[in-house]
Amino acid sequence: MTTPFPKDFLWGGAVAANQLEGAYNADGKGLSVQDVMPHGITTPRTEGPTEDNLKLIGIDFYNRYKEDVKLFAEMGFKVFRTSIAWSRIFPKGDELEPNEKGLQFYDDLFDECHKYGIEPLVTISHYETPLHLSKTYDGWVNRKMIEFYERYVTVLFNRFKGKVKYWLTFNEINSILEEPFMSGGIYTPKSELSKQDLYQAIHHELVASALAVKLGHEIMPEAKIGCMVLSMPTYPLTPNPDDVVAAMHAEQRNDIFADIHARGYYPKYINRYFKANNINIKFEDGDEEILKHTVDFISFSYYVSICETGDPEKRKEGKGNLFAGVQNPYLKASEWGWQIDPQGLRVTLNKYWDRYQKPLFIVENGLGAVDELATDEDGNKTVHDDYRIQYLNDHLVQVGEALEDGVEVMGYTSWGCIDLVSASTAEMKKRYGFIYVDRNNDGSGTLERYKKKSFHWYKEVISTNGASLIDNNAKS
């Protein structure tokens, strides 16, 4: 088949430092919020690191990254999305001078990527606020965070200019509404936070993000800097106009984040929501001007779609969704209750393209599943993960449809391209990767790497630039 994917399409995979690096206290690294979240968002945080926190070791990427990058190169990756652990660079977060050993690690990692022609795509802050900033300043509720973040990004941009072309300012910035500690480093318990607190924290992040765009363009004129939002297309549960309006309002509360990043100002539709919820964002002098430094592209994660209804009696919320939503009766769900909707990705791409006319980058998409290690016909250990292949194939077919629709898509990085510790539940058995890592929920395992069936499938997808994808459900 002919392929709609452009020749320069950036195929690759995505990870986050806190979920795979390990080495949580090596070479001067300070603690992050992740070091006190042994079971993700499912249990209360601890006072300090505990042995049951799998992220302390992760998959030992810190010491094995050369082996892993070589495997990514074998698949044909054009791009590798990872994050920088803030507390590797500034162990506490509020120091004046960075930790050289932390910077050197990422220097070496990016050099290894370039050795194979892989372009790094770097998330500056991915759910790993330094724990000191969380405990001492209450994270992004405090405006002083802008100053600490500015210092951090200035160091990164000066150090890695010429090595990193693509940057993302914050991972899933809108997730702070649901998980303020993990996403925004806010130490105050969620139950004690008002909507005013949360939206003021979001404002501080938005100003910091725009400041990063400004600084990035000054320090690295050739670089492209994007935002990253958690996309969640919301359908009305029925054609009842009450449901349509409920879905509209839910979409608006999610759209505000990309709207401000892409347009440079707060949209008027949010004023009504702010007024109804006694939210009054405090702007400092200069904030409006800083927000005008808009992103070069929009990146997003896509896993699920949800429904909304105006009828409280019909609110049957889907489990597993980070953002509460109503279950769609027409969709199947993964083992963790995440509803599977490949066409929702096409809908999202079309919507964002129509709305912003900026290039789009799908930087997270994937299927978390329990994988069983098996043996192939040659006696090699592998995983026969046809379910993952089908999931990714069906979503990528819809990316192709969006490209045919005229949408400009820069690239696609599947989430957890190598097995890692999950963010929501902090377990190993919820696997996303093309590469199996021998580590179990109890911490046992050899950490050896094995290629899954999907490894070879994705290699072919990349080598054919999408021509090997199979449209199992052709629709116009």
Side-chain angles (χ1 to χ4, degrees), residues 306-308 315-319 321 323-327:
I306 57 176
C307 292
E308 262 303 338
R315 287 200 63 85
K316 184 183 178 185
E317 293 191 356
K319 65 175 182 177
N321 297 338
F323 277 25
V326 178
Q327 281 185 329

Side-chain angles (χ1 to χ4, degrees), residues 150-175:
E150 180 182 6
R151 187 179 300 142
Y152 170 49
V153 298
T154 301
V155 166
L156 298 187
F157 292 163
N158 280 309
R159 179 66 171 240
F160 302 123
K161 61 184 176 185
K163 283 193 181 184
V164 179
K165 182 179 179 181
Y166 302 106
W167 298 85
L168 306 177
T169 54
F170 290 95
N171 179 67
E172 294 183 330
I173 189 168
N174 41 336
S175 61

Side-chain angles (χ1 to χ4, degrees), residues 183-200:
S183 180
I186 300 173
Y187 206 75
T188 300
K190 182 181 175 182
S191 59
E192 298 173 23
L193 292 168
S194 66
K195 287 184 177 178
Q196 169 69 34
D197 294 329
L198 286 172
Y199 278 93
Q200 189 64 50

Side-chain angles (χ1 to χ4, degrees), residues 40-60:
I41 60 178
T42 60
T43 61
R45 57 183 178 250
T46 53
E47 267 304 302
T50 52
E51 286 187 6
D52 58 338
N53 189 337
L54 296 179
K55 287 166 286 191
L56 304 185
I57 295 173
I59 61 165
D60 196 30

Side-chain angles (χ1 to χ4, degrees), residues 200-427:
Q200 189 64 50
I202 289 162
H203 177 74
H204 295 154
E205 283 194 290
L206 290 166
V207 170
S209 179
L211 196 54
V213 174
K214 176 179 182 291
L215 289 166
H217 288 160
E218 290 169 357
I219 297 169
M220 313 171 294
E222 76 290 349
K224 302 294 183 187
I225 304 163
C227 61
M228 199 293 210
V229 294
L230 187 161
S231 76
M232 190 78 73
T234 306
Y235 309 142
L237 186 61
T238 73
N240 185 321
D242 288 346
D243 290 358
V244 176
V245 170
M248 178 186 77
H249 285 151
E251 289 251 281
Q252 286 177 337
R253 289 194 294 275
N254 211 20
D255 288 341
I256 180 179
F257 297 88
D259 280 359
I260 296 170
H261 274 110
R263 296 172 174 171
Y265 56 87
Y266 278 72
K268 285 191 175 180
Y269 64 73
I270 205 66
N271 291 342
R272 185 170 185 175
Y273 178 77
F274 282 177
K275 186 176 180 181
N277 289 278
N278 297 313
I279 299 166
N280 183 24
I281 306 295
K282 183 181 179 184
F283 277 68
E284 297 286 343
D285 289 345
D287 283 4
E288 283 191 37
E289 283 302 309
I290 291 170
L291 288 177
K292 292 176 183 176
H293 292 275
T294 55
V295 293
D296 300 309
F297 64 96
I298 308 289
S299 84
F300 61 93
S301 61
Y302 177 80
Y303 296 101
V304 299
S305 61
I306 57 176
C307 292
E308 262 303 338
T309 176
D311 185 349
E313 293 184 7
K314 291 181 180 177
R315 287 200 63 85
K316 184 183 178 185
E317 293 191 356
K319 65 175 182 177
N321 297 338
L322 191 58
F323 277 25
V326 178
Q327 281 185 329
N328 188 327
Y330 295 97
L331 297 177
K332 295 178 181 178
S334 74
E335 293 172 80
W336 273 265
W338 296 34
Q339 292 198 290
I340 299 170
D341 177 18
Q343 286 176 285
L345 180 51
R346 178 185 180 184
V347 170
T348 298
L349 287 164
N350 271 274
K351 174 187 165 178
Y352 283 170
W353 177 246
D354 290 346
R355 197 173 181 96
Y356 305 121
Q357 298 288 297
K358 286 179 181 281
L360 306 176
F361 207 140
I362 306 151
V363 295
E364 283 188 35
N365 171 241
L367 177 68
V370 175
D371 290 341
E372 295 295 333
L373 203 56
T375 305
D376 66 16
E377 58 270 18
D378 298 320
N380 299 311
K381 289 185 178 179
T382 188
V383 174
H384 300 295
D385 56 342
D386 295 276
Y387 42 88
R388 180 170 293 109
I389 291 170
Q390 181 180 341
Y391 177 99
L392 294 171
N393 175 87
D394 293 351
H395 281 78
L396 284 168
V397 164
Q398 294 302 320
V399 177
E401 293 289 344
L403 288 163
E404 297 275 26
D405 294 336
V407 178
E408 185 178 334
V409 187
M410 296 168 63
Y412 173 92
T413 55
S414 71
W415 175 248
C417 50
I418 182 169
D419 288 349
L420 37 67
V421 183
S422 75
S424 56
T425 58
E427 56 189 341

